[in-house]
Amino acid sequence: MLRQGGVLGRRRGRRDRVDDTHAGGRMSEDAKRAVRSQFGRQASWYTVSRVHRQSSGLAELLRLASPAPTDRVLDVATGTGFTALALAPRCREVVGVDLTPGMVSEAHALREARGVTNLRFCLGDAEALPFRDGSFDIVTCRHASHHFPYLPLALAEMTRVVRPGGRVLLDDTCAPEDPGLAALMNEWERRRDPSHVADHPPSLLIHMLERAGLRVADTALTSVPLEFGDWTRRSGVPEAEAAALRESFVRASPDAAAAFGIRVGEGDIHFSWDEIVILGIKP
Amino acid sequence: MIDKELLEILACPACKAPVVQQDDRIVCTACGRRYPIRDGIPVMLIEEAETPGGGTGR
């Protein structure tokens, strides 16, 4: 659990930075093309990724979402439908929405293979969701928000389509509160995946949910264990860049090594990102 | 045919008005944008829509 005092204490400084970073507003067409191209290529990789399978963040998301058998759920940026498929047996209906046709096709195929009948998909943009106001009891968004160029707009849309009293679950990797370490994590992520926009510290994410009009009712922090080789292969990093990036992990400062749990082994480099699940309730 | 329950909650991503299905298009009841359906999946992206006056997009 996060202490609210720490969150409130950081509020003013963070707000200025968010607004500056995202001056210009909507996701540019170029940025969206970059996301589609990256994820079209990665779609089949993502369904077999160990990280997405083992992360306990999903268990936390399911616990905080606490779906009822009567609930209708929206999974934003559903990708290959991993979260949506986990939610489907627990509620009445799940809709998965994603920007990338390749991802949705993969999700559709998985649904057919598993004989799931209460899960539907459509193509849509997190920043301009194609749903009527208050249509869902629960809205989830997992491992995706770091790709959104203007997260506040996506959060405003998620808040719009959930009913009053409904729950919004934001679940993503998050950066350390220390600005230098946060910048380093984001630099590494961008070198690994050019469509990466930003991992934010927990305090900023919580602040953004509050600005979207949600009451933050609970949070859970987990850890995503990563192996450098798998992490770079999954996003198709060219060999030379992977080698340079590896060097930068090996030479990380003691502070960074401690923050990210970096362990350089014989075979591979092990490290971890923090993952946060935030429950926001629409008043 | 798009599932009735899904159609009831879909909205135009541009103006958020209700939509109806007309053949292989999902049509906004307010602004008239027409969204394609591909492989049974509604493509509810503003830049993929046909506008009533012809052409696509915003």
Side-chain angles (χ1 to χ4, degrees):
Chain A
M1 282 295 293
L2 288 157
R3 280 175 298 134
Q4 287 291 321
V7 171
L8 296 173
R10 289 174 187 277
R11 184 167 293 176
R12 185 169 300 279
R14 297 279 182 198
R15 176 184 306 169
D16 299 338
R17 212 179 64 194
V18 180
D19 291 345
D20 288 346
T21 306
H22 297 297
R26 293 188 51 78
M27 187 171 187
S28 76
E29 290 312 310
D30 281 351
K32 282 176 190 173
R33 266 194 292 279
V35 169
R36 281 207 191 92
S37 146
Q38 183 75 10
F39 284 96
R41 203 150 38 83
Q42 291 170 201
S44 55
W45 247 114
Y46 263 75
T47 58
V48 295
S49 152
R50 272 175 293 172
V51 170
H52 286 242
R53 280 196 191 291
Q54 290 179 353
S55 171
S56 61
L58 179 63
E60 291 304 311
L61 177 134
L62 294 173
R63 181 176 67 81
L64 294 182
S66 58
T70 51
D71 281 347
R72 179 192 276 150
V73 181
L74 174 67
D75 188 38
V76 174
T78 195
T80 56
F82 185 78
T83 305
L85 282 160
L87 284 159
R90 295 168 163 85
C91 49
R92 179 165 63 87
E93 185 189 16
V94 182
V95 178
V97 63
D98 200 277
L99 189 62
T100 310
M103 283 284 181
V104 171
S105 302
E106 186 87 14
H108 209 260
L110 284 172
R111 184 196 72 172
E112 298 297 304
R114 298 189 196 179
V116 177
T117 55
N118 64 337
L119 172 56
R120 285 156 189 85
F121 295 102
C122 76
L123 285 186
D125 185 338
E127 295 179 0
L129 287 173
F131 303 102
R132 297 169 73 168
D133 297 1
S135 293
F136 297 94
D137 302 289
I138 299 172
V139 177
T140 60
C141 180
R142 179 158 192 268
H143 287 186
S145 66
H146 59 272
H147 290 292
F148 299 165
Y150 193 53
L151 180 53
L153 183 52
L155 286 169
E157 278 289 88
M158 292 192 261
T159 304
R160 180 183 66 79
V161 301
V162 79
R163 67 165 167 80
R167 297 184 286 283
V168 174
L169 281 300
L170 183 73
D171 173 0
D172 206 354
T173 46
C174 58
E177 295 288 342
D178 178 277
L181 292 173
L184 179 63
M185 178 185 181
N186 281 307
E187 182 207 313
W188 282 343
E189 278 285 11
R190 253 172 250 142
R191 287 169 65 180
R192 176 225 173 209
D193 173 0
S195 73
H196 178 87
V197 175
D199 283 304
H200 301 296
S203 60
L204 179 53
L205 291 172
I206 289 169
H207 172 57
M208 283 196 240
L209 263 78
E210 290 172 343
R211 283 281 295 267
L214 297 165
R215 179 175 64 81
V216 173
D218 207 346
T219 59
L221 263 181
T222 63
S223 176
V224 185
L226 294 159
E227 291 161 12
F228 185 88
D230 175 66
W231 183 64
T232 46
R233 268 194 305 275
R234 255 190 301 136
S235 59
V237 182
E239 218 164 284
E241 177 59 19
L245 193 51
R246 176 184 288 268
E247 195 57 22
S248 155
F249 271 76
V250 171
R251 292 176 184 278
S253 71
D255 277 357
F260 303 122
I262 298 172
R263 285 172 293 120
V264 180
E266 297 258 319
D268 210 341
I269 300 170
H270 297 262
F271 62 104
S272 64
W273 297 149
D274 282 346
E275 175 173 347
I276 191 166
V277 186
I278 308 173
L279 167 63
I281 296 181
K282 183 169 172 176
Chain B
M1 188 69 193
I2 296 304
D3 182 81
K4 184 166 170 285
E5 205 166 354
L6 178 58
L7 205 55
E8 275 171 9
I9 56 170
L10 279 180
C12 174
C15 72
K16 313 302 183 192
V19 293
V20 293
Q21 183 171 1
Q22 288 177 6
D23 301 321
D24 60 348
R25 291 284 186 276
I26 289 177
V27 182
C28 177
T29 54
C31 71
R33 281 187 176 83
R34 298 165 65 82
Y35 297 91
I37 300 168
R38 292 193 193 121
D39 302 324
I41 295 171
V43 180
M44 304 301 289
L45 296 165
I46 296 168
E47 64 273 19
E48 299 264 352
E50 297 159 7
T51 53
T56 58
R58 299 165 193 270

